[in-house]
Amino acid sequence: MSNGIERQRIGLLGGTFNPVHEGHLRAAEEVRLRFALSQVLFIPSYIPPHKQTEDMAPPEDRFAMVELALRSHPHMVASPLEIEARDKSYSVITLNKLQAIYADAWIFFILGVDAFLEIETWKSYREVLEKCRFIVISRPGFDLAGAREALPPEYAGKMGDCRGAGPVGEDLLSRFRIFLVSIRALDISSTDIRRRVRAGRSIHGLVPDPVEEYIRKKNLYQE
């Protein structure tokens, strides 16, 4: 608290969003409410360091779909930060840029436990962990408790278990840097959506209606 004004809390949700789907939106909204985030930034990657790219829609299309998906979510914003960089998307570089833009804010890096399990493979991962707080969310098929094994022992005291319901209070925010959060995750994957499109099957209800229409109009994810 400074001069009676509470610090902004900015959530960061990165990924390929290939395509963005209702699971992303549900997770972002649940985390936003639990942590009283001012905004959640959806940041599509330009070239993801850890993923195959042969089945990847062009960056401009992935960003356009995120913009369409967020039109009815006033607390969520599509950020072109990584796409405009036109280079490999490394979290440490993105966080440096965000710290310059939101100099007085708390930044919360939101990611699934499946991605967190690979954090030691990230570029300068120790520096990344120092730059922001992490919200590690449950994912179908993955054990959230496994996140405790993803980092060296010295990080154990920095992890807080927030698997119960209700908002996360200031006491936990001051004690921990990494939060393990159980959410009511939707079992939806971008991989399955792309397969459905290629097979001519419906994706209605898996992605927002404007995204479904965009995929159809642009003939994305076809053979």
Side-chain angles (χ1 to χ4, degrees):
M1 195 79 71
S2 176
N3 298 324
I5 300 174
E6 189 174 349
R7 290 176 70 179
Q8 258 193 315
R9 298 181 186 181
I10 304 295
L12 152 61
L13 186 63
T16 54
F17 299 114
N18 187 40
V20 63
H21 55 66
E22 293 290 354
H24 296 129
L25 301 176
R26 159 74 75 83
E29 180 63 9
E30 195 162 331
V31 167
R32 184 185 74 80
L33 294 173
R34 293 278 302 275
F35 285 81
L37 303 180
S38 318
Q39 281 186 335
V40 178
L41 305 178
F42 279 58
I43 308 183
S45 55
Y46 179 62
I47 302 174
H50 295 282
K51 290 204 178 181
Q52 303 281 334
T53 57
E54 62 266 16
D55 198 19
M56 193 78 65
E60 294 75 18
D61 287 322
R62 290 185 285 112
F63 182 76
M65 287 188 283
V66 170
E67 282 193 309
L68 289 169
L70 300 186
R71 281 184 178 173
S72 57
H73 296 271
H75 296 286
M76 301 182 196
V77 179
S79 168
L81 204 61
E82 292 190 350
I83 285 176
E84 287 179 346
R86 315 297 290 181
D87 201 353
K88 277 196 173 183
S89 304
Y90 291 111
S91 296
V92 66
I93 296 171
T94 298
L95 283 167
N96 284 337
K97 293 176 181 178
L98 287 175
Q99 285 181 322
I101 297 169
Y102 300 100
D104 297 321
W106 279 345
I107 295 177
F108 294 81
F109 197 122
I110 306 164
L111 77 170
V113 62
D114 52 332
F116 188 76
L117 293 175
E118 300 179 350
I119 193 166
E120 284 191 297
T121 69
W122 294 15
K123 179 181 176 69
S124 307
Y125 83 92
R126 290 179 181 273
E127 186 180 347
V128 170
L129 288 166
E130 291 302 317
K131 286 182 178 296
C132 62
R133 287 169 169 79
F134 270 70
I135 300 173
V136 182
I137 59 176
S138 55
R139 285 288 305 273
F142 290 88
D143 181 5
L144 187 59
R148 293 190 175 277
E149 311 301 321
L151 290 170
E154 63 262 31
Y155 288 95
K158 297 182 179 182
M159 285 192 181
D161 195 325
C162 303
R163 282 186 268 187
V168 176
E170 293 283 345
D171 55 334
L172 289 177
L173 292 180
S174 60
R175 282 173 58 198
F176 300 117
R177 302 282 299 180
I178 303 166
F179 302 89
L180 308 183
V181 181
S182 182
I183 65 167
R184 296 164 298 157
L186 298 177
D187 194 2
I188 301 174
S189 79
S190 297
T191 302
D192 179 57
I193 290 168
R194 296 194 302 273
R195 286 181 185 141
R196 285 172 173 267
V197 172
R198 281 196 298 273
R201 297 167 61 197
S202 173
I203 59 171
H204 187 69
L206 301 178
V207 299
D209 290 346
V211 174
E212 182 182 3
E213 184 179 352
Y214 188 94
I215 290 171
R216 187 174 62 250
K217 282 186 174 178
K218 288 277 194 169
N219 291 316
L220 298 179
Y221 309 122
Q222 302 293 338
E223 291 293 353

